[in-house]
Amino acid sequence: MQVIFEQPPWYERWVRSQRRLAAARRTARRLREGRDHAGDAVPGSANRQVVRWQFRPSRRLGHLLLLAAVILILAIDRSLPLQTLTPISHSGPAPVVPSLLPAEQAVVVAPAVRHAAAAPSEPEPIAPAVRAPIPVATAYQATHLLTEGETLAEVAARYQIPLSTLVWTNQLDRGDALRVGQPLRIARLAGAAHTVAEGETLTVLAERYSVAPEAIITFAPNRLRDGQLIVGREIFIPGGRLPWTAEQEAAFGQRTAEPVGIVLADETNVRSGPTTDHPRQVQLAAGRQVALRGRYNDWVKIAIGDVTGWIRSDLLELDPAVVAALPEVRDFPPPPPRWVWPARGVLTSGFGPRWGGFHNGIDIANAAWTPIVAASRGWVYESGWCSGYGYCVKIRHPGGIETIYGHLIARPVVRAGQEVSTGQLIGYMGSTYDRAGGGYSTGVHLHFTLLVNGRAVNPLRYLP
């Protein structure tokens, strides 16, 4: 098969111009040499002065002309259509035609088919590019820092997540106050965060959060190999839900940042008033955030969840300027008395010499199972069967004071290491004693001893 290239019109014009230019150059050369077209000398050419004119363009002009030529060539090259190839039937293999066209415009010519052409085949579809899924390493898309005046409802709407998810993933349902700059984790999808506790299983968690166990296992950020839960690790429950009411939605949605204090130590007491004589309401763990409501002397009034009370200021991380701006509060109940009688009854034996010996306390008699209370606030350091006293309780109080409650009818209701407040029940009146320890009891009563720095003193000096 022969291949005939049809040359574009501009190519023939360019060839003719090159030929004319070559002929003109030859004529000029003969004139300079004094010969005619046949090569013979021209008469008088020896005395003829040949004027040579030279065009010497500047270097800058040469550069401009060269640049224009390059641009013209590139423009002509882009405007050329593909060359039309006319196949001519012949026997034999199809020749490989070298092409000066760009690689993407190269054309392969196939030999003509003598018999009837088959129906053109459909081009194979181009498969879409397959991309590997983007691995999700965490259940959270961002961390948001709470600004002043910003509500939780606004934060949830900004990231297009349910308000309940924002609350559950940041443990805001514990009742802690919100502070300016507090980081809030923003989940990628609706759900709840959960820290695995001892004895919990996937079935238990799935039932609690109303999801299928597979939803927890297959969520990649949980990294649950073979569905094994690890105690203490936090996991995310996709689609998980806890009880949530319209009242909670309204209350949490309007919550904003406010002045807060951060609890510094575990077992920090929240009391009903700003003294250590006021009874304890609850104990808080370190790191809890309490809202500041007022101040009085070295105490601050706080609120956390449903509890309102007082904490000593040195037990909180506080901004002094914030504390100074709090209103002074005086509407708190008076402290309970420092000392109360440990039991109701009749004083049957006083402090001092008795029966040729020394009685180091007082005896209060009443019926069996009469309640016995702590005479003052303190910490139990012994509880149970005591030498000499039978069932007893021993309490250590501030200022080096100790109290002993003997002859209880049964095991005390408090344990060693427990803090007790003034008037708190510790046991019941009886008549037990330990003969091996030198104790003795003639009837149902309470033996009450008060020690100051290890030395027994008359309890009547302290009881009201």
Side-chain angles (χ1 to χ4, degrees):
M1 179 182 68
Q2 287 185 336
V3 179
I4 300 176
F5 292 91
E6 293 183 1
Q7 302 297 343
W10 66 268
Y11 182 76
E12 295 179 0
R13 291 195 298 271
W14 179 79
V15 171
R16 287 196 298 269
S17 65
Q18 293 297 316
R19 290 174 181 172
R20 288 196 296 269
L21 181 59
R25 288 176 177 172
R26 287 195 298 270
T27 302
R29 186 169 56 253
R30 291 191 186 96
L31 290 176
R32 286 196 302 269
E33 295 174 357
R35 292 182 288 109
D36 57 10
H37 292 284
D40 299 330
V42 179
S45 59
N47 300 323
R48 184 182 301 169
Q49 183 179 4
V50 179
V51 179
R52 298 183 179 179
W53 179 80
Q54 295 182 352
F55 176 69
R56 296 181 178 177
S58 65
R59 179 176 298 177
R60 182 177 299 175
L61 180 58
H63 290 173
L64 291 176
L65 291 176
L66 179 60
L67 178 61
V70 171
I71 294 174
L72 179 61
I73 293 173
L74 291 176
I76 293 173
D77 180 68
R78 289 183 176 274
S79 64
L80 285 179
L82 289 176
Q83 303 301 316
T84 304
L85 302 180
T86 305
I88 300 176
S89 177
H90 73 96
S91 60
V96 179
V97 181
S99 174
L100 300 179
L101 298 176
E104 63 272 14
Q105 297 181 1
V107 179
V108 177
V109 182
V113 182
R114 298 181 184 273
H115 53 80
S121 59
E122 292 292 333
E124 295 184 1
I126 300 177
V130 178
R131 295 184 179 178
I134 300 175
V136 178
T138 175
Y140 303 96
Q141 57 174 303
T143 299
H144 178 83
L145 300 182
L146 192 65
T147 59
E148 185 174 359
E150 187 177 35
T151 66
L152 292 181
E154 292 171 346
V155 175
R158 175 178 176 180
Y159 293 97
Q160 299 181 354
I161 61 172
L163 176 61
S164 57
T165 295
L166 182 66
V167 171
W168 295 331
T169 52
N170 292 280
Q171 298 182 335
L172 302 182
D173 49 347
R174 297 192 310 171
D176 287 36
L178 300 175
R179 59 182 173 84
V180 174
Q182 178 171 340
L184 299 175
R185 299 185 298 178
I186 308 300
R188 297 182 184 274
L189 69 166
H194 178 82
T195 302
V196 180
E198 186 73 32
E200 289 182 329
T201 64
L202 284 171
T203 304
V204 171
L205 295 182
E207 183 177 354
R208 182 184 306 172
Y209 289 94
S210 303
V211 297
E214 293 76 14
I216 305 174
I217 298 174
T218 58
F219 191 58
N222 288 336
R223 303 189 303 277
L224 296 180
R225 295 183 178 179
D226 302 326
Q228 295 297 322
L229 297 176
I230 299 177
V231 176
R233 175 182 289 181
E234 184 185 80
I235 60 176
F236 188 83
I237 315 294
R241 292 193 60 82
L242 294 169
W244 186 258
T245 63
E247 291 75 13
Q248 288 176 298
E249 182 82 15
F252 278 104
Q254 297 304 314
R255 288 189 58 185
T256 61
E258 54 186 326
V260 303
I262 302 176
V263 178
L264 294 176
D266 289 334
E267 299 182 353
T268 294
N269 293 322
V270 179
R271 298 188 177 276
S272 61
T275 69
T276 56
D277 292 330
H278 284 84
R280 180 188 66 197
Q281 294 178 297
V282 295
Q283 286 186 326
L284 300 179
R288 299 295 297 272
Q289 295 183 171
V290 296
L292 306 181
R293 296 288 184 260
R295 58 183 175 85
Y296 181 81
N297 292 339
D298 295 333
W299 293 71
V300 289
K301 188 176 183 180
I302 63 94
I304 181 168
D306 298 330
V307 177
T308 301
W310 293 82
I311 298 180
R312 230 173 44 232
S313 58
D314 61 333
L315 301 177
L316 296 172
E317 180 183 334
L318 298 168
D319 184 348
V322 172
V323 176
L326 294 174
E328 187 172 359
V329 178
R330 292 180 178 272
D331 59 342
F332 50 84
R338 290 181 177 270
W339 292 91
V340 296
W341 280 81
R344 294 179 180 273
V346 178
L347 182 64
T348 56
S349 181
F351 177 83
R354 187 183 67 170
W355 306 337
F358 187 83
H359 190 222
N360 67 350
I362 60 175
D363 291 341
I364 304 172
N366 205 329
W369 295 97
T370 298
I372 299 174
V373 299
S376 184
R377 179 181 66 88
W379 294 265
V380 178
Y381 69 91
E382 187 173 351
S383 176
W385 191 265
C386 305
S387 175
Y389 293 108
Y391 284 116
C392 84
V393 175
K394 297 181 180 180
I395 301 176
R396 184 174 291 113
H397 307 273
I401 300 176
E402 299 177 21
T403 53
I404 302 174
Y405 310 77
H407 308 310
L408 275 64
I409 196 171
R411 183 176 295 277
V413 298
V414 292
R415 65 184 185 279
Q418 181 178 343
E419 181 182 3
V420 293
S421 58
T422 303
Q424 181 177 339
L425 178 67
I426 60 175
Y428 299 95
M429 191 179 295
S431 186
T432 60
Y433 63 93
D434 179 32
R435 187 181 300 274
Y440 184 71
S441 175
T442 59
V444 176
H445 73 284
L446 167 67
H447 173 85
F448 179 67
T449 297
L450 192 148
L451 307 174
V452 178
N453 296 324
R455 181 171 175 264
V457 298
N458 190 348
L460 297 181
R461 292 169 50 185
Y462 288 84
L463 297 180

